Amino acid sequence: MAGAAGCVVRAVRRLPGRRAGPIGGAVALAAVVLPLRFALRAPHGSAAGPVVGVLLSLLPVLGVAGAGVYLRVLEARRERAVDRARREQRLEVARGLHDFVAHEITGIALEAQAGQLPGQEPGETVALLRRLEEAGLRALDSMDEMVPHPDIPSCAC
């Protein structure tokens, strides 16, 4: 009986959704009617004994099936919580990338547009290129802070 109850818990808890019900139900039915095998071996017994045996085996089987369903629900809740946490982390990284990196890239684009204006002196062009380089390095630093590479402690760019 204990082995059949273990099979019921395992079937209800571990099998994929569509198969858990039918297979779990079949295993539970087998566990419940298990006491009938003794009635078939008795030469001349009353029907009350096997019926009581079936009823008494029904309670533990329902209990372990309920425990299996409860554990399955807990596992599904845990998986949903992990998925929610991962999604929140991805959104936080995306917001951070937008806030820091997009700001720097906008500055780079504006500096590049200013460098295309006619009448630039060579000193202004050198200063502009220096500002573009600094803005690019800040953008890379911001990206490294937001999305560090798992194998590299810090980017040596």
Side-chain angles (χ1 to χ4, degrees):
M1 179 66 182
C7 289
V8 170
V9 150
R10 185 140 177 103
V12 170
R13 181 174 182 205
R14 297 288 184 189
L15 287 175
R18 299 186 92 173
R19 295 184 349 190
I23 293 175
V27 173
L29 179 65
V32 167
V33 297
L34 191 63
L36 290 179
R37 71 181 178 154
F38 299 114
L40 295 176
R41 292 187 183 163
H44 299 290
S46 69
V51 170
V52 170
V54 166
L55 291 176
L56 287 177
S57 66
L58 183 64
L59 292 175
V61 168
L62 288 176
V64 296
V69 168
Y70 176 72
L71 293 173
R72 185 183 190 103
V73 167
L74 286 180
E75 180 71 16
R77 282 184 188 166
R78 186 194 65 77
E79 287 175 1
R80 283 193 305 271
V82 166
D83 289 344
R84 251 190 327 270
R86 286 181 180 155
R87 183 175 184 274
E88 286 299 318
Q89 285 176 344
R90 285 192 298 268
L91 288 174
E92 184 178 329
V93 168
R95 282 190 291 270
L97 283 174
H98 179 267
D99 290 347
F100 296 112
V101 178
H103 174 75
E104 295 296 341
I105 291 174
T106 301
I108 292 171
L110 289 174
E111 292 282 350
Q113 289 171 350
Q116 295 174 16
L117 294 175
Q120 297 285 331
E121 294 182 17
E124 290 177 359
T125 304
V126 170
L128 175 69
L129 291 173
R130 192 174 305 118
R131 286 193 308 267
L132 285 172
E133 177 187 16
E134 290 169 358
L137 291 174
R138 282 193 308 269
L140 288 173
D141 287 341
S142 294
M143 193 175 298
D144 281 344
E145 288 176 18
M146 292 302 300
V147 187
H149 191 279
D151 297 332
I152 301 173
S154 65
C155 185
C157 298

